[in-house]
Amino acid sequence: MTANNTLRALGRHQHWLVPFLIVVAAFLVRLSYLNQIESMPTFDSPTMDEGYHVEVARQINSREGLPDEPYFRAPLYSYFLAASFGVFGSSFYTVRLLHIVLGSLLPLIVFSFGLKLFNRKIAFWSAAITIFYPTFLYYDTSLLITSLMVLLTALLVWQLYRCDGRSYIQLILAGVLLGLAGLARPNILLLGPLLFVWAWLVLRPLVGFKKALFGYILIGIASLVII
């Protein structure tokens, strides 16, 4: 195959090749960091907030389950961790590996925002910063809610950006993401009233006031059902 044919072939597959390479690069960087911290004493013996989440996850998976009382913290991450232990076993390395798989999706979302809102150069630089940003590396390998919360928030913003008020499925999905984010960190539910401003400024010019209002209500109902 000549060089020109190779370039044309790459051009045809670029719509999936570039996103794939971004996710792979993010995963490899996080995997390298994960392997570096594996020798730390707290890696297999989590303490403080990590230890709390592990304890609650084990309670969820026990015969007794959680006690019949209000949650001390928002419950999503504890159930996520319990499900991870149930599927993959009690290996902290495997659970942290699942973390970095999910965290590797964030640079792809940032890249997509860059393409939609700016240009290809900004999209690549934004994705590169997200791949190597030290704080993301730290939280993507920690047994904490932060990594999952950032991913849910990014997905929520992306979904709101995609909504045009005509597709009820898109609006319901936005509500589902808002509800999940609320179960991860409840203060994001303060976004709920502000979404009326979004519906007024973004949806109303596209579909009219009544449909925009219905879309706003639909998001709210979906988020409450999830919670």
Side-chain angles (χ1 to χ4, degrees):
M1 182 180 290
T2 65
N4 288 335
N5 289 336
T6 302
L7 289 174
R8 282 196 292 268
L10 288 174
R12 288 194 298 269
H13 298 291
Q14 196 173 22
H15 64 281
W16 65 264
L17 181 60
V18 172
F20 173 75
L21 291 177
I22 289 173
V23 173
V24 169
F27 176 78
L28 291 177
V29 170
R30 282 153 178 75
L31 181 62
S32 175
Y33 178 70
L34 179 65
N35 290 331
Q36 290 179 40
I37 66 172
E38 188 179 4
S39 61
M40 295 179 62
T42 56
F43 190 91
D44 289 318
S45 300
T47 61
M48 301 180 67
D49 289 352
E50 286 188 317
Y52 170 81
H53 291 139
V54 170
E55 180 184 348
V56 174
R58 287 172 174 167
Q59 280 186 295
I60 292 172
N61 288 339
S62 68
R63 288 185 178 181
E64 296 77 14
L66 290 177
D68 187 17
E69 60 186 31
Y71 294 110
F72 177 68
R73 287 185 175 178
L76 180 67
Y77 184 70
S78 296
Y79 280 96
F80 170 81
L81 198 57
S84 301
F85 287 147
V87 174
F88 301 106
S90 57
S91 168
F92 288 111
Y93 185 92
T94 305
V95 172
R96 295 177 197 270
L97 190 64
L98 177 60
H99 265 248
I100 68 174
V101 169
L102 295 176
S104 298
L105 299 176
L106 184 62
L108 179 58
I109 299 172
V110 172
F111 177 76
S112 301
F113 268 120
L115 286 180
K116 292 290 185 180
L117 300 177
F118 301 101
N119 55 53
R120 200 168 187 81
K121 182 178 180 180
I122 292 178
F124 274 115
W125 275 108
S126 301
I129 291 171
T130 309
I131 289 172
F132 293 101
Y133 186 49
T135 304
F136 287 155
L137 298 184
Y138 171 78
Y139 281 111
D140 284 346
T141 55
S142 300
L143 303 179
L144 300 171
I145 187 58
T146 308
S147 178
L148 186 60
M149 182 61 190
V150 170
L151 180 62
L152 285 172
T153 304
L155 287 171
L156 172 60
V157 176
W158 176 251
Q159 185 59 31
L160 290 173
Y161 179 78
R162 294 177 63 241
C163 286
D164 58 8
R166 298 181 178 89
S167 172
Y168 293 155
I169 298 298
Q170 288 186 350
L171 293 165
I172 291 173
L173 183 55
V176 168
L177 289 169
L178 178 60
L180 288 173
L183 289 173
R185 183 149 298 168
N187 55 7
I188 197 175
L189 296 177
L190 294 173
L191 180 65
L194 295 177
L195 285 180
F196 181 80
V197 179
W198 166 80
W200 178 267
L201 296 178
V202 177
L203 297 186
R204 184 183 58 85
L206 296 174
V207 296
F209 175 73
K210 288 185 178 180
K211 288 187 176 181
L213 180 61
F214 178 75
Y216 172 73
I217 294 173
L218 194 60
I219 291 175
I221 291 174
S223 63
L224 289 176
V225 168
I226 291 297
I227 294 172

